Amino acid sequence: MHVALLESQPTLGESLRTVVENLGHRCTTVRTLSHALTLVEKDPPHVAFVTLNGPRKESLHFLEKVQALNDPFPIIVLSPQPCLEDAVQAMQRGAQDFWVLPVDQERLRQTLLWLEERRKADGLGERAPSAAPGDEIVTRNPAMLNLKRIALKVAASNATVFIQGESGTGKELFARFIHRNSRRARGPFLAVNCAALPENLLESELFGYEKGAFTGANRQRKGKFELAHQGTLLLDEITEIPVHLQAKLLRVLQEGEIDRLGGRYPVPVDVRVLSTTNVDVAAAVREQRFRKDLYYRLNVIPLKIPPLRERLDDIPVLVDHFLHRFQKTLGASTVKVSPQTLKKLQSYPWPGNVRELENVLQRAVLLAEKPVLDPEDLEFDPVETHHNAPLPLMSLEEMERRMIQKALTKTDGNRTRAAEILGISVRTLRNKLHEYAKDFSDRT
């Protein structure tokens, strides 16, 4: 693959060139805008890296010139320091991504690999990976693209972001997107599901405890706020936090310090907090289930993710994305969907949103007997099925048996790999095999 580098400083240019060539790619380094435009005419690259060390106007002008081409190539902008204004201007002019120097070699390797896969797939007319490494927000919907632009803008700041949306819309993906594009990207990203922990455990999980704080506390334990120091902490389903803990959380956000259970002194923490919820926050505030002052403290930047039924134009790209992933993770052969199947997918209300779509497609791929999925291959979750949606064609027990059988067939009876494909533990699979012994006796 031909990689171009527009860089005014020879030292940086040579070091990047060495890395690119060691990865097996051809690299051309140019120093000025005029030389870069000449290169585009005579030997256009497959991807270009443009640094902002020199005159910014020239670099941004190069972006505009490339976007005006009949066949523009992707450009990644490199900046010596994080700058929100530069990032926004670059993305508005068509940059594929905005990186802060120094370049992480593994990120560079993964990105060039992804771009090479896309280029080869386009040339062969095959399905290409639809999301860059580290960006799982696959969309072409205008509202979602606008949310990504907002998320990119606020990523460079330290503002709290409140991400709201139904279950399965991709709230955590947005949180991870913000973290990866922030100054804290090299720090930890931790997530706590506030709805999954009982009240007595949630406090110690968040704030930690000292030795002897309670029966069984035989050592000091750091909480998630301390473990996420200089990184990002995602409080998932934050509206499920008990009211008395909300007061303690508010103090952390205001003072930048936490109190461990049983602790004598506050502990300073440097953490960016992102939060999500799938409930009506305004109603929770009115019903005094969620503190108004905490809501205003968290809701500095609100992101409201639309449900999948309001962005049906995303279904084709999401289908391509998931099928390409399953081809790798499940070891499945290339599978496509028929136009009738795509139409059926776009006519379903998707109460479980993108997560439900992924599950439906995974079931179809596991059970598929042919390379093209037809409408009758789709089995919707009866728990999520809308009253106007098609009813399932088999019982859950029968579907479960068929999926286990398919997974074992694909893995030649390897239970560990089959359990990974099915998303269950080996122990659960073993119990299911025992339960369905008469059906799987020949294989197991």
Side-chain angles (χ1 to χ4, degrees), residues 160-211:
T160 55
V161 181
F162 205 167
I163 308 171
Q164 302 175 49
E166 296 178 7
S167 295
T169 51
K171 297 187 291 295
E172 184 170 339
L173 294 182
F174 268 91
R176 292 183 179 276
F177 178 80
I178 291 170
H179 172 72
R180 279 192 301 269
N181 288 280
S182 73
R183 298 167 184 166
R184 299 173 178 268
R186 294 182 183 274
F189 176 92
L190 299 180
V192 179
N193 187 332
C194 301
L197 294 172
E199 181 177 335
N200 61 327
L201 291 181
L202 181 59
E203 185 171 7
S204 61
E205 184 74 12
L206 290 174
F207 307 116
Y209 54 80
E210 296 287 355
K211 181 179 179 180

Side-chain angles (χ1 to χ4, degrees), residues 314-377:
D314 270 346
I315 287 182
V317 292
L318 286 168
V319 169
D320 275 355
H321 172 71
F322 288 131
L323 292 183
H324 184 267
R325 179 197 290 176
F326 297 152
Q327 186 176 335
K328 290 185 175 181
T329 59
L330 304 183
S333 55
T334 302
V335 178
K336 299 181 179 180
V337 297
S338 68
Q340 295 80 8
T341 304
L342 189 59
K343 184 177 180 180
K344 183 176 181 179
L345 290 170
Q346 290 182 301
S347 66
Y348 182 69
W350 297 111
N353 292 292
V354 180
R355 187 181 296 120
E356 185 187 3
L357 172 63
E358 180 180 7
N359 291 341
V360 167
L361 289 172
Q362 183 170 355
R363 278 198 294 266
V365 169
L366 279 170
L367 302 176
E369 302 293 342
K370 51 189 183 304
V372 178
L373 297 180
D374 291 321
E376 56 268 24
D377 295 319

Side-chain angles (χ1 to χ4, degrees), residues 2-263:
H2 182 199
V3 179
L5 174 62
L6 175 55
E7 168 55 56
S8 60
Q9 295 185 4
T11 304
L12 177 61
E14 287 306 314
S15 63
L16 280 174
R17 175 176 183 151
T18 300
V19 173
V20 171
E21 290 181 342
N22 285 342
L23 292 172
H25 304 285
R26 178 165 66 96
C27 185
T28 303
T29 304
V30 290
R31 307 279 180 234
T32 65
L33 175 63
S34 60
H35 289 157
L37 294 176
T38 300
L39 175 69
V40 168
E41 291 180 3
K42 295 184 177 180
D43 187 14
H46 298 113
V47 58
F49 290 86
V50 178
T51 65
L52 295 180
N53 282 323
R56 278 164 168 69
K57 287 186 177 179
E58 287 196 1
S59 300
L60 296 175
H61 182 62
F62 179 68
L63 283 168
E64 294 173 343
K65 285 287 188 182
V66 171
Q67 295 308 308
L69 298 174
N70 291 330
D71 188 18
F73 48 83
I75 297 178
I76 295 174
V77 173
L78 309 176
S79 175
Q81 58 188 6
C83 177
L84 176 59
E85 182 180 354
D86 287 343
V88 171
Q89 288 191 30
M91 301 300 282
Q92 287 176 340
R93 286 165 172 78
Q96 175 87 36
D97 209 342
F98 184 91
W99 295 0
V100 177
L101 295 167
V103 173
D104 182 272
Q105 293 193 22
E106 178 59 21
R107 184 182 189 184
L108 176 63
R109 187 187 71 81
Q110 290 287 345
T111 299
L112 291 178
L113 178 63
W114 171 70
L115 290 169
E116 178 73 356
E117 285 186 27
R118 285 190 63 88
R119 186 178 70 86
K120 289 180 178 179
D122 289 342
L124 297 173
E126 295 181 351
R127 183 171 59 250
S130 50
D135 181 7
E136 289 290 300
I137 304 175
V138 178
T139 184
R140 67 183 183 192
N141 176 265
M144 288 288 286
L145 291 172
N146 186 52
L147 286 177
K148 285 188 72 172
R149 282 191 288 269
I150 294 172
L152 183 63
K153 288 181 182 180
V154 303
S157 72
N158 206 38
T160 55
V161 181
F162 205 167
I163 308 171
Q164 302 175 49
E166 296 178 7
S167 295
T169 51
K171 297 187 291 295
E172 184 170 339
L173 294 182
F174 268 91
R176 292 183 179 276
F177 178 80
I178 291 170
H179 172 72
R180 279 192 301 269
N181 288 280
S182 73
R183 298 167 184 166
R184 299 173 178 268
R186 294 182 183 274
F189 176 92
L190 299 180
V192 179
N193 187 332
C194 301
L197 294 172
E199 181 177 335
N200 61 327
L201 291 181
L202 181 59
E203 185 171 7
S204 61
E205 184 74 12
L206 290 174
F207 307 116
Y209 54 80
E210 296 287 355
K211 181 179 179 180
F214 49 83
T215 303
N218 51 17
R219 62 180 179 84
Q220 183 196 80
R221 183 178 186 274
K222 292 183 178 181
K224 288 295 193 291
F225 271 99
E226 286 185 82
L227 295 174
H229 184 65
Q230 295 186 334
T232 303
L233 177 62
L234 171 64
L235 298 178
D236 193 19
E237 306 306 341
I238 193 172
T239 44
E240 300 303 313
I241 292 182
V243 174
H244 80 276
L245 285 184
Q246 293 177 24
K248 194 169 182 178
L249 176 59
L250 180 62
R251 182 178 178 277
V252 177
L253 295 173
Q254 291 175 338
E255 305 298 332
E257 57 186 28
I258 58 102
D259 291 307
R260 298 189 191 121
L261 291 177

